[in-house]
Amino acid sequence: MLTAVKNQIRVCVFSVKYNIMREMLNKVTFLTNILFMMLNNGAFIIQWLILFRLKEEIGGYSIHQVMLLWGLSASSYGLSHILFARVFSLPEMIVNGKLDCYLVLPKNVLLSVMTSATSTSAIGDFLYGFLVICIFCFRIDRLLLFSLFTITGALIITSFSLLMGSLSFWFVRAEKFSMHMTNVMVSFATYPDGIFKGGTRFLLYLVIPVGLAIYHPVHIMTSFDVGMFFTVIGYTGLLTAAAITVFYLGLRRYSSGNLMESGRM
Amino acid sequence: MVYTQKCVYGIAVLFYISIQLKEEGGITLKVIEADNLSKTFRIKQKEKGMAGSIKSVFRPQTKEIHAVDQVSFSVEEGEMLAFIGPNGAGKSTTIKMLTGILYPDGGRAQILGIDPVKKRKQLCYQIGTVFGQKEQLWAHLTPYDNFRFFGAIYDIPDSETERRIQEFSDIFELGAFINTPVRSLSLGQRIRCEIVASLLHKPRVLFLDEPTIGLDPVVKDHIRSLIKQMNRELHTTIFLTSHDVGDIEKLCKRIMIVNAGQIVLDESMEHLKYHYLNKKIIEMKLSNHTPLPDLPGLTVLKEKNGQVRLEVDTAVMKINDALRFIDAEQAEDITISNVPLENIIMEIYRSENRVQVP
């Protein structure tokens, strides 16, 4: 069992390494993609700095909390897209029958699929998140918590996307719905939750899991709460388990395809 | 204690006997067994035009396609089987069920005693797959890096992976391009690498789905020789689907034809040729125009400028009689040949009912 897990991790590491090697084939494109993503994210800091000159608090958040929010959103999104980028194109793979080449390998199908691609610009997002924390609100304990919540956030984003993407096993045109749901989650993750009321707040905490991926961790990093901490950890585990279960249930309905193109892309 | 010793001794004797019998050809191990294997796809149907599109939103209609319909067969160890049929016959669906890609709706399959549905991962260690239409290799990596990756996937130790890469590189002559990215390789080179990647873990069964598609005749011939060599040296069972009659004729000793999801023919190649080659083709060049007789069993296929092509049904007329009737002595040149295997297969595809080989 332990050897199997070790071998699986070895293959995943190989996969991520080869993905990054592929992206690095063109060094200029690789570096500019990372740098420009960091600059792109940085532009939003200016917007928030201007807003905080006009008002001390926005939605109950101070400038430092907004920076924490932005940093955590960027690094969670980044980590998710560095390691598991293929999850975000899962519906297309299901619809066009591109899972075949992963199903004939003696390894975990889901992990093999998820780790089969990476996004260069996501490296920029990931680095940007940590840079923001180090510049605006550095503290050792906060950095440790930030690193942990980057992992839980990435898992929640990935699991939610996997859950939505797996709908394509049942519904033919579910890829658009899945894409919109994932985008909505990422968009809301960059605004303080205090500005949302009523139905929207309900949506953000119970339907789209941005509340537990980003908002709760920001509150914990501002003032530590054990209950909230374990809620985030527990929710991450539950959502991940649910997403994996739904994927494997759907896989039984997979109908392959005969498109004449590369399985690996 | 004595009882345990007796049991162990008994098992050892039985094991020895079974090995001896197998070596003498007394036992043949069935590596693939399909029992009433079925797969049905539900395809959405839509009426013509915009009205049809709107209607399909509110009242979607589906049609059931029986891609594979209660197919049963078995393949023995070391066999080279051609599994062929026209497009949409159910070949790929069957292969995908045997390899664990698709879940069957009915029946069951066992490959080396392993159920692909229940133990997919365990099965993958024992089988190899090559889909000529789909790449399994990473295009940006070199074949060497790809093989290292596949070595890790199949849990092969690094030193052993290196040894096998060297071994297969020699057999498949990859030396000249093993360090060139896959995307820069020719199709023939890529297919050779795909086959090596699928052989690296030394599978006992190899599924080849159109391995020579799009290749030139020289490369095709090379690939076929390599597959033959692999079957001979490693005793790998080959399950081949191809539309190329050359692949079937040169590689396989057994042929299975599927049509509309059912097996319509399962014969040895020798048997097939013997029973279907009752027709001969006579091609002649005549020095002067001689009217050809209209006789039962003799069909004129083509006649132009003294060039004549005839088909003789030897079940109705002996070939000697045919030559006498057409006055072969007047011919400047004459060739007698069998009906091409391609024509036989086409005839079987076209037949509406199940073909019963006499």
Side-chain angles (χ1 to χ4, degrees):
Chain A
M1 181 69 185
L2 200 67
T3 315
V5 173
K6 210 175 96 186
N7 288 337
Q8 179 69 61
I9 293 170
R10 186 172 167 235
V11 170
C12 288
V13 170
F14 250 115
S15 203
V16 173
K17 188 177 95 179
Y18 283 162
N19 282 325
I20 294 174
M21 274 165 67
R22 171 168 54 192
E23 298 302 320
M24 286 171 77
L25 278 176
N26 189 329
K27 286 190 190 80
V28 177
T29 315
F30 178 74
L31 290 173
T32 48
N33 265 340
I34 295 171
L35 282 173
F36 277 96
M37 184 45 75
M38 290 174 84
L39 277 175
N40 179 46
N41 288 341
F44 288 96
I45 294 180
I46 299 164
Q47 181 190 317
W48 281 103
L49 285 173
I50 295 167
L51 283 171
F52 275 103
R53 282 196 169 195
L54 302 171
K55 216 172 168 210
E56 267 189 24
E57 270 192 6
I58 297 170
Y61 278 54
S62 66
I63 178 78
H64 291 296
Q65 281 172 305
V66 169
M67 289 304 126
L68 267 176
L69 181 83
W70 258 91
L72 187 60
S73 302
S75 58
S76 300
Y77 177 89
L79 186 62
S80 170
H81 279 71
I82 291 169
L83 298 178
F84 311 120
R86 195 68 92 201
V87 158
F88 301 93
S89 53
L90 185 65
E92 192 255 338
M93 296 184 77
I94 295 168
V95 172
N96 294 320
K98 290 178 180 173
L99 300 180
D100 292 14
C101 65
Y102 306 98
L103 282 161
V104 291
L105 299 178
K107 287 284 171 279
N108 184 289
V109 181
L110 181 57
L111 274 175
S112 303
V113 173
M114 290 201 309
T115 56
S116 66
T118 194
S119 159
T120 318
S121 55
I123 299 172
D125 284 317
F126 180 73
L127 293 176
Y128 171 84
F130 279 88
L131 202 67
V132 165
I133 295 304
C134 292
I135 294 171
F136 290 95
C137 32
F138 181 78
R139 241 172 49 194
I140 289 287
D141 58 339
R142 189 173 284 159
L143 187 66
L144 288 174
L145 276 175
F146 183 84
S147 305
L148 176 70
F149 290 132
T150 296
I151 296 169
T152 56
L155 282 173
I156 291 175
I157 292 171
T158 309
S159 301
F160 183 66
S161 194
L162 174 63
L163 203 59
M164 293 297 114
S166 297
L167 293 178
S168 291
F169 283 120
W170 286 272
F171 310 108
V172 178
R173 301 294 293 172
E175 67 263 34
K176 294 275 176 211
F177 175 74
S178 158
M179 190 182 78
H180 291 314
M181 289 299 274
T182 310
N183 287 346
V184 163
M185 183 181 177
V186 175
S187 305
F188 276 104
T190 51
Y191 294 97
D193 61 329
I195 63 172
F196 304 115
K197 305 277 180 241
T200 317
R201 209 172 163 77
F202 170 82
L203 199 76
L204 295 179
Y205 275 88
L206 287 170
V207 182
I208 305 161
V210 64
L212 286 139
I214 308 294
Y215 300 148
H216 265 24
V218 169
H219 295 311
I220 296 166
M221 283 189 280
T222 314
S223 88
F224 190 79
D225 182 316
V226 182
M228 240 186 217
F229 178 82
F230 284 108
T231 308
V232 172
I233 301 290
Y235 181 80
T236 308
L238 273 177
L239 187 69
T240 308
I244 293 170
T245 309
V246 170
F247 174 81
Y248 279 103
L249 280 175
L251 195 61
R252 295 183 73 91
R253 298 173 60 91
Y254 176 61
S255 56
S256 186
N258 291 313
L259 290 179
M260 286 182 72
E261 55 186 271
S262 164
R264 290 204 172 273
M265 293 183 283
Chain B
M1 188 65 187
V2 176
Y3 178 74
T4 316
Q5 271 180 339
K6 277 184 182 173
C7 280
V8 170
Y9 181 71
I11 290 166
V13 169
L14 282 173
F15 184 66
Y16 176 76
I17 293 169
S18 67
I19 288 173
Q20 288 300 313
L21 280 168
K22 196 184 159 193
E23 279 177 0
E24 288 163 17
I27 287 181
T28 43
L29 182 66
K30 282 178 180 160
V31 290
I32 302 175
E33 285 181 286
D35 182 20
N36 285 320
L37 209 56
S38 304
K39 182 75 186 175
T40 304
F41 292 111
R42 201 167 286 156
I43 310 291
K44 273 204 169 181
Q45 300 290 302
K46 187 188 86 65
E47 288 173 25
K48 283 186 285 185
M50 185 55 120
S53 296
I54 294 166
K55 199 177 164 187
S56 73
V57 171
F58 297 102
R59 198 177 291 172
Q61 288 183 328
T62 54
K63 186 182 167 188
E64 283 197 343
I65 308 277
H66 299 285
V68 177
D69 191 7
Q70 297 190 323
V71 162
S72 299
F73 62 88
S74 64
V75 182
E76 285 167 7
E77 191 172 25
E79 244 191 305
M80 291 178 95
L81 168 86
F83 191 71
I84 62 165
N87 289 332
K91 305 180 297 293
S92 295
T93 306
T94 306
I95 281 202
K96 284 171 184 174
M97 284 193 283
L98 295 177
T99 50
I101 293 174
L102 292 178
Y103 284 73
D105 292 332
R108 67 188 194 106
Q110 286 217 317
I111 290 80
L112 296 155
I114 303 166
D115 187 332
V117 174
K118 292 178 185 159
K119 292 179 177 172
R120 185 194 62 81
K121 275 199 248 179
Q122 194 185 324
L123 174 69
C124 291
Y125 283 107
Q126 304 291 335
I127 62 166
T129 47
V130 176
F131 295 101
Q133 299 180 14
K134 286 186 181 179
E135 280 178 31
Q136 296 187 79
L137 303 175
W138 298 62
H140 64 290
L141 296 178
T142 62
Y144 176 82
D145 283 338
N146 267 293
F147 300 151
R148 286 293 305 265
F149 180 64
F150 276 85
I153 282 178
Y154 288 102
D155 308 333
I156 308 167
D158 286 348
S159 56
E160 180 60 17
T161 305
E162 286 291 340
R163 199 189 62 72
R164 291 188 193 182
I165 292 173
Q166 190 56 52
E167 181 188 340
F168 285 116
S169 174
D170 292 342
I171 297 173
F172 284 76
E173 296 167 21
L174 310 181
F177 53 86
I178 197 160
N179 291 317
T180 308
V182 170
R183 71 152 67 91
S184 309
L185 301 182
S186 70
L187 188 59
Q189 290 169 336
R190 184 179 72 71
I191 294 285
R192 269 146 73 188
C193 293
E194 292 271 355
I195 295 177
V196 170
S198 65
L199 287 177
L200 213 61
H201 59 295
K202 303 215 165 158
R204 289 173 64 189
V205 185
L206 185 62
F207 292 92
L208 299 167
D209 193 355
E210 310 223 27
T212 59
I213 193 164
L215 301 177
D216 70 52
V218 179
V219 180
K220 268 184 190 177
D221 196 53
H222 192 197
I223 300 267
R224 285 169 194 154
S225 309
L226 293 170
I227 294 171
K228 255 187 177 174
Q229 188 184 348
M230 194 178 66
N231 169 261
R232 202 172 46 239
E233 290 176 7
L234 304 173
H235 211 52
T236 315
T237 307
I238 308 287
F239 193 95
L240 168 84
T241 72
S242 180
H243 286 296
D244 191 321
V245 178
D247 287 347
I248 301 156
E249 213 165 10
K250 289 185 180 160
L251 287 173
C252 302
K253 290 201 172 76
R254 181 178 161 198
I255 188 166
M256 202 183 284
I257 298 179
V258 275
N259 205 353
Q262 294 185 321
I263 293 174
V264 293
L265 184 137
D266 182 1
E267 279 300 333
S268 69
M269 193 65 84
E270 206 176 299
H271 198 240
L272 176 83
K273 282 185 179 173
Y274 179 76
H275 285 286
Y276 278 87
L277 294 185
N278 55 354
K279 287 180 181 167
K280 299 278 176 192
I281 301 290
I282 301 176
E283 285 172 298
M284 297 193 302
K285 190 179 179 190
L286 299 171
S287 51
N288 53 7
H289 182 73
T290 316
L292 293 162
D294 185 14
L295 294 165
L298 193 72
T299 315
V300 180
L301 300 174
K302 192 179 169 188
E303 187 182 5
K304 196 178 177 186
N305 302 330
Q307 300 276 353
V308 181
R309 190 175 158 86
L310 301 159
E311 187 183 87
V312 181
D313 187 347
T314 52
V316 180
M317 179 186 284
K318 284 182 183 171
I319 196 82
N320 278 346
D321 294 337
L323 291 171
R324 204 171 55 246
F325 284 129
I326 58 178
D327 202 3
E329 281 177 8
Q330 285 194 31
E332 285 180 4
D333 189 17
I334 188 161
T335 311
I336 303 171
S337 56
N338 288 324
V339 176
L341 182 63
E342 196 163 356
N343 292 12
I344 298 172
I345 291 170
M346 274 203 297
E347 200 178 298
I348 296 168
Y349 284 2
R350 282 175 191 147
S351 60
E352 283 179 27
N353 303 318
R354 280 180 177 228
V355 177
Q356 297 293 324
V357 176

